[in-house]
Amino acid sequence: MSPVVIHLRSETKPLERRSPLSPSTAKALLDAGYVVRVEESPDRIYKSDEFRAVGAEIVPTGSWVNAPKGDIILGLKEIEADGTPLPHTYVHFAHVYKNQTGWATELSRFSNAGGLLYDLEFLTDQDGRRVAAFGHWAGYAGTALALLSWAHQLLNPGVPQGPAPVVESASALTDLVKAKVDAAISANDGAHPRLIVIGALGRVGKGAVAAAEAIGVSDILKWDVAETSKGGPFAEIAASDIFVNCVYLGSNKIPPFTTLEALSTPDRRLRVICDVSCENSENNPVPVYSSYSSFENPTVPTSGHIDGPELRIIAIDILPSMVARESSDEYASQLLPSLLTLDRRDTEEVWRRAERIFHQKVAELP
């Protein structure tokens, strides 16, 4: 039987630097008998030479489109919505299973062409837990960016914040933000920022707390289910400088953690919200914004008028790209055990579960 070919495509989403495959996990697949082809990519955190050094074949950017139909096309984020048929087997985050805008059109590109999607979000173990996740580094990057935004407001009042910094490591990001925060503390008469992290016991929340502590912030309210079970809105949010939401509810709906009304007070201390979960839907427990932000424009205003000082919101859906190497190293290592079973995906439950979900969603197409 011919070896299974895994073709790592180049990402097309602006400023997406992460990869679901690292040079070390590529080597593990090669050692296991897989063929690994890696597209040239101008943005990927790993350079082509790193993959070439472990024996992967380097191929042109975008060559996955004309790859043999039996090849497995591995990526991270969704494929560009250009309407072209998708006849291969694909592994990536597609964002088409929760009735997102345009979901039917995009999902039809697979089904109409005889393709198959294994959505990374739905690669789960027998307990329904994702086999790989970016949670820790999403929390880390989001909190670092929130502290940078807080410092910017104090050091440059009324001046729009510029693009998020591009760094090569988490330590470089930490050092950069710490310098800005220290300067802002001096400008703030020595007053340190207070953070409230909701969801502090989960992977995302632990990453958020780790970032704050690495940057030198010690005044942190670490909230989780015990503190939020009574239901919001919570006055402690308005009384903090920065609120980091690390709770993802999915289809569940709970009372909001805060509201525009709760934040519209002249004595509000809150200056920055980072919604790491970034689920801008009716179930979002932070219903105070209506659009996402980006690395080019890291913050957005509230969706309605509020009294008090300036409040900016960070809602970026690719936060771990700020620390692309660390987040990719961790994610790729978590994903590797599943990738190593792709040659028997017809019998391995992690792949069978994902395939069943694909067919269920295709059956829901209008």
Side-chain angles (χ1 to χ4, degrees), residues 33-34 41-42 64 71 75 103 195 197 207 209 231 245 259 279-280 283 294 309 312 317 323 336 348 355:
Y34 289 84
S41 172
W64 66 269
D71 291 3
W103 74 273
L195 269 72
V197 178
V209 171
N245 176 45
T259 62
E279 187 70 14
N280 194 1
N283 293 337
S294 66
R312 304 297 295 183
D317 65 352
V323 283
L336 176 62
E348 286 290 325
E355 183 172 352

Side-chain angles (χ1 to χ4, degrees), residues 24 28 31 40 64 70 77-78 80 97 122 147 150 163 169 172 184 219 249 263 308 315 348:
S24 63
D31 290 345
E40 294 274 8
W64 66 269
K77 301 300 285 186
E78 62 269 28
E80 282 188 296
Y97 287 175
F122 296 88
L147 282 162
W150 174 82
S169 67
D219 190 357
L249 295 172
L263 296 176
E348 286 290 325

Side-chain angles (χ1 to χ4, degrees), residues 66-86:
N66 297 313
K69 190 174 179 180
D71 291 3
I72 295 174
I73 311 302
L74 175 63
L76 190 69
K77 301 300 285 186
E78 62 269 28
I79 293 170
E80 282 188 296
D82 59 8
T84 56
L86 298 174

Side-chain angles (χ1 to χ4, degrees), residues 31 33 68 116-117 124 178 188 202 216 231 279 284 286 329 333 338 357:
D31 290 345
L116 172 62
L117 169 66
T124 59
K178 188 177 189 309
N188 198 33
E279 187 70 14
N284 189 344
V286 192
D329 282 349
S333 67
S338 298
I357 293 173

Side-chain angles (χ1 to χ4, degrees), residues 12-221:
T12 57
K13 194 159 191 173
L15 301 179
E16 180 54 84
R17 304 166 69 209
R18 293 172 295 170
S19 172
L21 191 70
S22 68
S24 63
T25 59
K27 184 179 186 305
L29 288 164
L30 289 162
D31 290 345
Y34 289 84
V35 173
V36 178
R37 294 181 180 138
V38 177
E39 290 188 6
E40 294 274 8
S41 172
D43 299 318
R44 187 187 297 125
I45 191 64
Y46 305 119
K47 306 308 179 188
S48 295
D49 284 346
E50 295 180 72
F51 285 106
R52 186 180 287 111
V54 300
E57 179 185 350
I58 307 303
V59 296
T61 302
S63 57
W64 66 269
V65 174
N66 297 313
K69 190 174 179 180
D71 291 3
I72 295 174
I73 311 302
L74 175 63
L76 190 69
K77 301 300 285 186
E78 62 269 28
I79 293 170
E80 282 188 296
D82 59 8
T84 56
L86 298 174
H88 294 87
T89 295
Y90 303 84
V91 182
H92 62 263
F93 288 102
H95 305 297
V96 292
Y97 287 175
K98 300 177 183 176
N99 297 335
Q100 293 96 331
T101 301
W103 74 273
T105 299
E106 291 308 301
L107 188 56
S108 295
R109 293 171 65 192
F110 299 93
S111 59
N112 290 344
L116 172 62
L117 169 66
Y118 292 116
D119 195 303
L120 286 169
E121 184 176 352
F122 296 88
L123 287 186
T124 59
D125 62 20
Q126 60 186 8
D127 297 319
R129 188 177 177 85
R130 290 188 197 179
V131 299
F134 283 103
H136 175 89
W137 292 108
Y140 196 102
T143 300
L145 191 54
L147 282 162
L148 191 63
S149 180
W150 174 82
H152 176 83
Q153 287 188 39
L154 290 176
L155 295 171
N156 306 279
V159 178
Q161 185 175 349
V166 177
V167 296
E168 290 303 309
S169 67
S171 61
L173 177 64
T174 301
D175 291 344
L176 183 155
V177 176
K178 188 177 189 309
K180 294 292 187 182
V181 168
D182 288 347
I185 290 171
S186 296
N188 198 33
D189 297 325
H192 289 242
R194 173 188 298 161
L195 269 72
I196 179 169
V197 178
I198 296 186
L201 298 183
R203 285 185 289 199
V204 179
K206 289 178 179 177
V209 171
E213 292 177 342
I215 291 164
V217 176
S218 58
D219 190 357
I220 309 171
L221 298 179

